[in-house]
Every structure is written in C-alpha cells, then in structure tokens.
Amino acid sequence: MLKVTARAHTNIALIKYWGKADQQLILPANSSVSLTLDRFYADTTVGFTDQPGPDRFVLDGRLQDAAATHRVHAFLDLVRQQAHIHGAARVSSTNHVPNAAGLASSSSAFAALALAASRAAGLSLDPTALSRLARRGSGSATRSIFGGTVIWHRGTDDASSFAEPVTTAPNLDLRMVAILIDAQQKDVSSRNGMARTVATSPYFPVFTATAERDSQAMVAALAAGDLEQIGELTERSALMMHGATLAAQPPFTYFAPATLAAWAVVRAVRAGGLPAYVTMDAGPNVKVLTDATHVDAVVAGLRAQLDNELVVCAPGPAARILTTTEE
Ligand code: DP6
C-alpha cells in the first residue's frame, strides 16, 4: 500500500465566505480572500487497500465512529471516482494547534486530505485541480492549498471555482495574533450556520454583495501594501458576517462575552495609534491583523489588558507532501 503524508496549514478569511450558491458542489455565494497561517496545521496520512469496505479514520489518535467518518468517506469517494479505484482507505490525521480552543479547522483538514488522498490514489493533480478537490470537502479548504494571501474565485461551476495566491506588495509582512477564548457553549457548525443565514437572514444579500466587491478591493489593497485599507476591509467583512447571523431565524451568534471584551481591547490598542484590526469566525476566538513592524507593540498592548493566551502567526506555506512510503 502506498502511504502518503501531507501537511496543510489553516487559513483565516480576511473577506469571508459565509454562504453557498450550490451545496452539492460547494460553490460559494461570493469570492473570498484569506491568509494562510504558519502556526496551525494538519498532518494527514492516507493509504488505499486493494479491497472495498469501510474507510478507517483516526483523528488525533482516536478511531472515529461511522458518523464522524461520513464526511471523510464521502470526500474519499470523489477521489476514488477520479482515480478509478475501489479500495477502502486508511486515514490518520493530527491537528497541530497550540491549544485545542476551537483552532482545529476544516480548511487545513480537507486541504491535507485532498493532497494525501489524491497522491495515494495515484493522481497527480496540479494546484488548481487540488484546490477544486479540497473545495468539495470544505469550502475554506479551497484556499489552504496555497500559502500566504489567497483568493477563492467563486466561479459559476465546478471548473471555475478555485483559489490562487494573491501577490502582495514587497514591503507588506502581515501578522495575525490569535486571542484564545474558551467556548462556553457548543457552536453551531459553520455548515449549518451559513445555510441558516442564507435561507433566513435579510442581511445575507448585502453581506454577500459587499464581500464580492470587497474581495476585489482586498486584492488591490494587498498589491498596494495598504495596511489600513486591508484592515478596514477585514473588519467590515467579519462584522457583516456576524451581523447576518444575528438577523437569521432563529438568530444566533458565535460571540461570547469575552469576544466583545477582546474586541474592545483591540479598539483601544488602535486608538493608541497602532494598526490592529479584528476578525472572528465560527467560534468565539478573536484574531488581530497587524504587520511585522507593529506586532510586538500590538501584543504588548493586548497583554496589558487581557489574560488570554495569545498566538502570534506569520504567513504560512502551501500544502505539501511530507513523506511517501510503500508498505
Ligand atoms: C467563518 O469552510 O467550514 O471560516 O464549506 O460548509 O465546510 P463548509 O464551511 P467552512 O466555512 C468557513 C466559514 C468561515 C469563513 C471563511 O473561512 O471564509
């Protein structure tokens, strides 16, 4: 059996994907832009046996039951179809996150799985084809095939919906500081949360139209190295996404009280003259966008007022193969 291990890094959206135009193909309602991070990643090993049968999926050392394996199994079926093979898969995945507080992500998980499984199945996909494949596992995984700043073009069909790197100005060196906040209650999954938002939130059309325009504006701001514009667009996209969840039926939010408290501290740090801009995803953690020049001062400003664990991230690399072994 050919066993392939791949590593893919988590990305955080600067312009959010929060709604599908096609649930089956995972085509997004709007394009989105992200930053791949160095500190958070998944390592995934895949091998295919010669015989059909149930796939085996071990996550962080624990064998997963049929329900937990279902999404991985459905994804592996796509790989088997493309490669014209039928054997059951052996999958083992480890999340590398400094602390388990909601930082393990489907973006790194499905990007690593797409790369490892396609290679183990004998396919040699180019980055665009890999990005399209990863998309079928989880939308945000489309972007984790690439390092640094990335745009996911929403596209109109399976062939045209993929990600690619975005060129940034040479002087731009982004940093993202994750402020870890304990989840008190179980989150609504991003899959269910965005479906509810699309179906019921009157703010969704405004969110998605703005995100489409802002994705283009973000590409221009990254090329120009305009940190203020990058930061303002980042905050607006996150807050519009979270505004749209508040207006859904039934309404919901990922914000915990500590999320608002951390956001207030970031505003104070910015009022003190430092570039620091928030973004939040489908959980209570707050991430602060800044650059390499200012990150130490931003961290000092946050530490002065917050007890939370902080993780400073730089841009991370593209998904890659770590090992290939024949057993
Ligand atoms: C808030 O990629 O987890 O992180 O496509 O249903 O698997 P599915 O959703 P997922 O959603 C990510 C939502 C987000 C914003 C983003 O990454 O753009």
Side-chain angles (χ1 to χ4, degrees):
M1 178 165 57
L2 179 67
K3 286 178 77 175
V4 179
T5 301
R7 174 172 295 176
H9 289 248
T10 297
N11 73 77
I12 300 295
L14 307 180
I15 304 296
K16 302 296 182 192
Y17 148 59
W18 193 249
K20 295 176 180 67
D22 184 317
Q23 317 245 4
Q24 172 73 21
L25 291 172
I26 311 199
L27 303 181
N30 54 264
S31 303
S32 53
V33 180
S34 61
L35 179 66
T36 300
L37 302 181
D38 62 344
R39 295 286 306 274
F40 311 139
Y41 55 91
D43 287 345
T44 300
T45 304
V46 181
F48 288 96
T49 65
D50 294 334
Q51 298 299 320
D55 295 318
R56 194 183 141 89
F57 175 37
V58 175
L59 178 60
D60 293 329
R62 281 185 295 278
L63 182 64
Q64 303 294 298
D65 62 16
T69 308
H70 176 76
R71 222 168 126 181
V72 167
H73 175 77
F75 182 80
L76 292 166
D77 277 347
L78 294 171
V79 176
R80 280 185 281 255
Q81 270 167 29
Q82 279 195 35
H84 307 293
I85 62 168
H86 303 284
R90 300 284 173 261
V91 179
S92 175
S93 190
T94 309
N95 283 309
H96 294 268
V97 289
N99 172 319
L103 287 164
S105 151
S106 62
S107 66
S108 41
F110 279 96
L113 184 63
L115 180 53
S118 60
R119 269 313 162 85
L123 297 168
S124 188
L125 302 179
D126 66 23
T128 303
L130 258 181
S131 176
R132 287 171 48 210
L133 175 63
R135 193 194 78 228
R136 304 292 297 274
S138 183
S140 54
T142 313
R143 301 180 306 238
S144 270
I145 297 300
F146 302 98
T149 47
V150 177
I151 183 167
W152 173 14
H153 303 288
R154 82 177 150 160
T156 51
D157 57 13
D158 177 49
S160 58
S161 187
F162 57 84
E164 63 179 345
V166 173
T167 310
T168 57
N171 63 328
L172 184 69
D173 194 5
L174 294 172
R175 292 290 181 274
M176 199 171 265
V177 183
I179 304 174
L180 305 194
I181 290 167
D182 277 337
Q184 301 291 330
Q185 82 267 4
K186 196 166 169 11
D187 292 339
V188 179
S189 73
S190 45
R191 186 149 295 185
N192 294 337
M194 72 174 76
R196 193 193 300 176
T197 306
V198 173
T200 66
S201 176
Y203 296 169
F204 177 71
V206 185
F207 160 78
T208 193
T210 307
E212 186 60 33
R213 276 198 310 276
D214 282 358
S215 290
Q216 308 313 322
M218 181 61 89
V219 169
L222 289 166
D226 185 342
L227 184 58
E228 187 176 348
Q229 175 76 351
I230 294 165
E232 284 175 4
L233 289 166
T234 296
E235 279 200 354
R236 172 159 82 169
S237 186
L239 296 174
M240 286 186 76
M241 169 194 143
H242 290 279
T245 75
L246 289 169
Q249 274 311 320
F252 65 106
T253 187
Y254 295 106
F255 287 6
T259 306
L260 294 173
W263 176 20
V265 171
V266 177
R267 286 201 302 274
V269 167
R270 189 153 88 228
L274 292 169
Y277 303 89
V278 291
T279 188
M280 303 86 155
D281 294 288
N285 295 315
V286 174
K287 295 107 185 179
V288 185
L289 188 69
T290 184
D291 69 1
T293 309
H294 298 97
V295 69
D296 290 346
V298 167
V299 165
L302 297 174
R303 280 210 204 289
Q305 296 184 67
L306 291 169
D307 293 333
N308 308 61
E309 185 179 346
L310 306 179
V311 184
V312 178
C313 300
R320 65 192 184 280
I321 301 285
L322 296 182
T323 57
T324 302
T325 54
E326 191 71 53
E327 284 185 9

